Amino acid sequence: MGECGERRADPAEPLGRAGPANGAAVVDSATAAFVAHRNLLFTVAYEMLGSAADAEDVLQETWLRWAGVDLDTVREERAFLVRIVTRQALDRLRALNRRKEAYVGPWLPEPLLTAPDVAEDVELAESVSMAMLLVLETLSPTERAVFVLREVFDLDYDEIAEAVGKSQAAVRQIAHRARAHVAARRPRGVASPAETRAALQAFQRAVETGELQGLLDVLAPDVVALSDGGGIRHALLRPVVGIGDVARLLAAGWWRRDAERSVEPVQINGGPGLLVRVDGEIDGVVAVRVENGYVTGAYHVRNPEKLSHVERETAVTRCAGETGAAARRRRQFSG
C-alpha cells in the first residue's frame, strides 16, 4: 500500500496467553487481524465520510461481517478488510449526504485531535485536512471512494474495482476524473513550520484578547471563514470570504467574550488548530489552513455533536498497525 508495507507480527510472539492461572482466552486470528488494521480502516472510512462517529459505526459493521468470514478463503487480509469497510462506507455516505441536505448552516467535517507525527506524513496530513475533506465533499460517493483508495492508500485498480463493484476500466476512468476535479480545487500553497506557528499565534491572540492587527497581517486577501454550529450553537449561516468581510466579522465579535475563555494550540486533522474552552468546557475548535505564510481558511466547529474526538488523540494512518511516521522509523532502523 504505497510506502506502507503490511506490518506482520513476529511469528515467535504469541497473540495472547491462556492458562489455568488467569483463564485468559487466546486472541483468535480474526480479532488479531482486525485489531492490526483497525487504525487503517478507520482512516479509510473517515476520509470517505468526514465523520468520525459514522466511521466508528462503519468499523463496527465491518467487524460484524469480518467475524463471520471463513479466513481460509481470504487470500490477503488487508485487501479483504478494506473492501468490506469501503462498501459499508459507501452505503453510509449516501445516507449521510441525504442528512446534509437538511443541515442548518455550513457542514464541516468532524474534527480530530491528531498526534504531532501525523504532520510528518505530508500526504496523510493533507488527505485528512479540513480543506481536503471539503474538496472531497464535491465528489460523488463512488468518485470519493476511488480517489481515496487510489490516491491516498495506493490500492491497485483491481482491488478498488472489487471494493466499489465496478470494472477496472470504469475505475480507471473514475480515478482520472476525480483526480482532475480535486487537482483544480485542492490547496496549492505550502507553509514552513515557522510561518504556520506565526499565523496560529496571531489567531490565538485575536481569540484571547480581541487584538486583530496581528491577525489581519497574516490573513490572505481571499481568506474564507466557515463555522458549523449544526443549528445547536450560534455559528455563521454562510461562508464569509475576503479579508475585508472576515475583518468586519472578527471586529463584530465572532468570538464571544462574555465568559472565561482559554485557547490551546493543537493539531487538528494533521494541521494547525486551536481548542477553545469557555468556563472550562470545550466550546469548539478552529482548524487553520496556512499557505505561503498566510491564513487562507479558518474552519470553526462548534456543533457539540462533532466535538467528541477532540478530547483525546485519534490515530490515523496509511499503514496497517502503525502510523506512517512509525513505519518510516522502522524501515530506517531495519536498513
Side-chain angles (χ1 to χ4, degrees):
M1 188 175 299
E3 67 172 16
C4 298
E6 183 174 353
R7 181 178 180 272
R8 302 188 183 277
D10 185 339
E13 179 184 346
L15 293 173
R17 296 182 182 276
N22 57 25
V26 176
V27 177
D28 63 83
S29 56
T31 302
F34 187 83
V35 170
H37 292 82
R38 187 191 186 285
N39 292 342
L40 168 66
L41 298 175
F42 173 84
T43 308
V44 172
Y46 176 73
E47 292 200 20
M48 285 183 59
L49 300 170
S51 165
D54 285 284
E56 293 286 1
D57 288 345
V58 163
L59 254 64
Q60 181 65 25
E61 294 162 2
T62 299
W63 162 249
L64 292 175
R65 283 160 176 74
W66 173 248
V69 171
D70 179 0
L71 296 188
D72 290 338
T73 66
V74 176
R75 185 176 70 248
E76 210 284 307
E77 292 172 345
R78 173 187 61 83
F80 200 101
L81 281 163
V82 169
R83 184 161 67 246
I84 297 175
V85 83
T86 299
R87 290 174 178 174
Q88 297 305 312
L90 274 171
D91 289 342
R92 182 61 63 100
L93 180 58
R94 294 181 179 108
L96 188 60
N97 285 344
R98 289 193 293 271
R99 296 207 307 264
K100 289 174 188 173
E101 293 175 1
Y103 199 78
V104 178
W107 182 94
L108 289 176
E110 185 175 348
L112 303 179
L113 183 67
T114 51
D117 65 358
V118 171
E120 297 176 26
D121 186 335
V122 176
E123 291 182 21
L124 175 63
E126 182 193 24
S127 71
V128 299
S129 69
M130 299 288 272
M132 178 55 76
L133 290 175
L134 285 173
V135 172
L136 295 183
E137 284 292 310
T138 63
L139 298 174
S140 72
T142 301
E143 286 174 338
R144 185 166 184 169
V146 170
F147 180 86
V148 167
L149 294 178
R150 180 62 183 174
E151 298 301 314
V152 180
F153 297 97
D154 200 24
L155 262 66
D156 293 334
Y157 286 111
D158 59 341
E159 293 179 282
I160 301 173
E162 288 190 50
V164 301
K166 302 283 186 182
S167 69
Q168 286 192 47
V171 165
R172 288 179 183 274
Q173 291 180 341
I174 293 169
H176 177 77
R177 186 168 64 246
R179 193 181 303 118
H181 182 94
V182 171
R185 293 163 177 80
R186 75 193 312 162
R188 298 183 181 278
V190 296
S192 69
E195 290 173 331
T196 299
R197 283 194 301 271
L200 192 62
Q201 287 168 359
F203 225 112
Q204 183 175 355
R205 283 194 300 273
V207 175
E208 290 178 325
T209 69
E211 191 278 308
L212 301 181
Q213 187 56 53
L215 179 58
L216 295 178
D217 290 341
V218 297
L219 289 180
D222 56 351
V223 60
V224 178
L226 293 166
S227 65
D228 178 345
I232 302 173
R233 287 183 174 170
H234 178 71
L236 303 172
L237 292 179
R238 59 187 61 84
V240 175
V241 183
I243 190 170
D245 287 342
V246 171
R248 282 189 287 274
L249 173 69
L250 293 168
W254 184 15
W255 311 100
R256 286 173 32 222
R257 301 191 185 96
D258 56 356
E260 183 179 341
R261 180 179 306 280
S262 65
V263 182
E264 176 188 355
V266 290
Q267 286 279 324
I268 296 294
N269 288 59
L274 299 172
L275 181 63
V276 182
R277 286 186 170 89
V278 173
D279 294 332
E281 300 293 328
I282 294 177
D283 182 75
V285 298
V286 183
V288 179
R289 187 173 85 226
V290 182
E291 301 178 73
N292 300 320
Y294 291 94
V295 174
T296 58
Y299 311 103
H300 185 200
V301 180
R302 296 194 69 216
N303 184 346
E305 296 177 354
K306 292 186 175 184
L307 297 176
S308 62
H309 283 73
V310 298
E311 298 182 15
R312 63 187 64 85
E313 288 180 359
T314 297
V316 292
T317 181
R318 293 187 296 155
C319 307
E322 58 191 346
T323 65
R328 287 194 297 277
R329 288 194 293 270
R330 176 172 56 79
R331 287 195 299 275
Q332 177 182 354
F333 289 113
S334 65

